[in-house]
Amino acid sequence: INGKLVQVVRVAADASAKTIEAAALAGEKVISRTSGKTVVKIIVVPGKLVNLVLHPSDKGPSPATPVVK
């Protein structure tokens, strides 16, 4: 998710990109980290990786953003 390893999913070597994407999205850790957030883009490189790009505003305040109470 956003370039960080969250979960390893094993699929058949000849699996299609859609199958790989579905398997990645079904992972428990992926579901918990993406719930309530917007997935902007899904990058699938068969045999290598799946990267989910989440909307930046869904990640919370950046460290430089002052918090007003």
Side-chain angles (χ1 to χ4, degrees):
I1 298 178
N2 289 336
K4 307 288 188 221
L5 177 64
V6 173
Q7 186 167 346
V8 176
V9 178
R10 296 191 184 271
V11 294
D14 60 348
S16 68
K18 288 287 184 185
T19 304
I20 296 168
E21 180 182 322
L25 290 171
E28 289 181 29
K29 291 179 183 177
V30 173
I31 291 171
S32 68
R33 293 198 184 192
T34 58
S35 65
K37 297 185 173 127
T38 305
V39 178
V40 176
K41 188 174 188 180
I42 300 175
I43 302 165
V44 178
V45 180
K48 297 281 183 183
L49 63 90
V50 177
N51 188 26
L52 306 176
V53 180
L54 301 181
H55 193 272
S57 65
D58 293 336
K59 293 191 313 186
S62 67
T65 305
V67 178
V68 179
K69 293 183 180 182

